[in-house]
Amino acid sequence: MRKPIIVGNWKMNKTIAETKAFVEAVDSSVSDSADWGIATPYLALQTAKSLASNLIVAAENCHFEESGAFTGEISTSMLKEIGVEWVILGHSERRQYFGETNATVNAKTLKVLDAGMTPIVCVGETLEEYEAGSTKDVCKTQTVAAFKDVCPKCIEKVVIAYEPVWAIGTGKTATNEIAQDVCAYIRGVVAELYGQEAADKVRIQYGGSVKPEGLKTLLEQPDIDGALVGGASLLEDSYIAMIENLG
Ligand code: 13P
C-alpha cells in the first residue's frame, strides 16, 4: 500500500515572512491521509524547517557536486545541515529555462540518494511532444536517464512526478484517464528496469493545474500516488482545502 504524497511546489514565490505565516497556518491541519509537504525557495527553507512539525520541507533543486566553484548553487550537505531531506529534481521549468538535462538530472538523483535524501524526480512532455503523440517515449527516455546507475535498493524511496508541461500553470489539467495511463506506463518503465516488486513501491505523483476539488478523484487512480501542486499550494486556504478534501 503506497501512502499518497502531496507536495506544494512554490517555485519562486514567498518571502521568509510569508513562509512563516503559511507554515503557522497550515502545519497543524496536516492529516495522516497522506504525506504533505512544501518545496520552498532556498532562502525560506530554514524557516519552514524550524516551524514545521508535520509538513515535509523540500528544496526545489540542488547541485550534483559536494562543493566547489559553482556560483549560485547549493549542495546536499548544505540542505542536510538545516534538516532538509527532500529535493525536487528535473522540474520542467529547470529543464526549459536553466539548462537542466537528462544527464544533470541523473547526476543530481545519484547525489541526492548518496546523501541519504529523497528525490522527487520530474518527467513530462511538452505540448509539441504531446501533440506529436510522443508522450510515452519522452517519459520513458527521461525516466530511464534519470535513474541510470541508481541501485535497486534506492529506487524504492524515489518519488516520480509526471508533469505534462502543457498542463503546468495553464489551467489545463490532464484528465484523470490520461494521467493514470501515463503514470501506469512510467511504473511499467520502472518495472522493466528494477522488477515489478520495486516498481510497486515507487510513488508516482501527477502535477499540472491540480486543484483541491480534483485531488480526491485523481488519487483514486490506481497508479497515481499523489500530486505535485503549484498554484493551488500557495494560499493557506487552498492548501488546507486539499487536506480537507482528502479526508
Ligand atoms: P501548477 O499546479 O501551478 O500547474 O504547477 C504544477 C507544477 O509545476 C508543480 O511542480
Side-chain angles (χ1 to χ4, degrees):
M1 189 54 189
R2 297 182 295 265
K3 188 174 186 186
I5 175 162
I6 292 95
V7 176
N9 174 13
W10 284 359
K11 311 188 179 186
M12 195 174 74
N13 290 293
K14 290 197 191 289
T15 62
I16 291 173
E18 288 165 345
T19 301
K20 183 172 184 288
F22 181 99
V23 176
E24 283 173 351
V26 172
D27 192 69
S28 61
S29 299
V30 166
S31 76
D32 205 34
S33 57
D35 290 332
W36 296 90
I38 48 172
T40 83
Y42 289 133
L43 213 54
L45 284 171
Q46 194 165 11
T47 300
K49 222 19 231 180
S50 67
L51 294 170
S53 308
N54 301 306
L55 284 164
I56 290 169
V57 176
E60 298 175 15
N61 182 32
C62 68
H63 199 268
F64 50 80
E65 293 289 354
E66 184 51 36
S67 63
F70 302 104
T71 302
E73 293 293 323
I74 295 279
S75 73
T76 52
S77 306
M78 296 170 191
L79 295 173
K80 281 184 79 170
E81 187 184 33
I82 57 165
V84 172
E85 301 279 345
W86 293 72
V87 190
I88 297 176
L89 296 175
H91 191 277
S92 65
E93 287 149 17
R94 295 219 57 86
R95 294 178 190 258
Q96 197 177 347
Y97 305 130
F98 303 104
E100 195 80 81
T101 64
N102 284 336
T104 58
V105 175
N106 176 236
K108 291 177 180 193
T109 302
L110 292 169
K111 179 71 173 89
V112 164
L113 288 167
D114 191 48
M117 300 165 73
T118 304
I120 300 173
V121 177
C122 303
V123 300
E125 80 287 2
T126 62
L127 179 61
E128 210 176 20
E129 290 161 341
Y130 174 72
E131 286 175 344
S134 47
T135 296
K136 289 180 178 171
D137 287 346
V138 170
C139 290
K140 181 171 188 170
T141 302
Q142 292 180 346
T143 303
V144 171
F147 300 132
K148 182 170 175 286
D149 298 332
V150 167
C151 74
K153 261 202 94 52
C154 288
I155 197 70
E156 295 176 6
K157 72 183 290 197
V158 163
V159 174
I160 300 173
Y162 166 56
E163 298 207 303
V165 179
W166 50 270
I168 295 178
T170 59
K172 279 190 224 156
T173 330
T175 61
N176 288 343
E177 289 70 27
I178 293 177
Q180 159 60 24
D181 184 43
V182 181
C183 288
Y185 177 78
I186 293 169
R187 193 178 306 287
V189 172
V190 177
E192 276 173 34
L193 296 170
Y194 294 96
Q196 194 62 49
E197 205 180 317
D200 284 340
K201 292 190 178 142
V202 172
R203 292 188 286 182
I204 304 181
Q205 298 173 311
Y206 166 80
S209 297
V210 171
K211 298 285 173 282
E213 53 276 17
L215 192 59
K216 201 171 166 59
T217 57
L218 180 70
L219 294 195
E220 282 166 10
Q221 309 306 310
D223 286 286
I224 301 180
D225 311 309
L228 195 55
V229 186
S233 75
L234 286 170
L235 294 176
E236 288 86 342
D237 286 355
S238 172
Y239 199 105
I240 290 170
M242 290 198 288
I243 299 171
E244 286 173 351
N245 285 3
L246 222 57

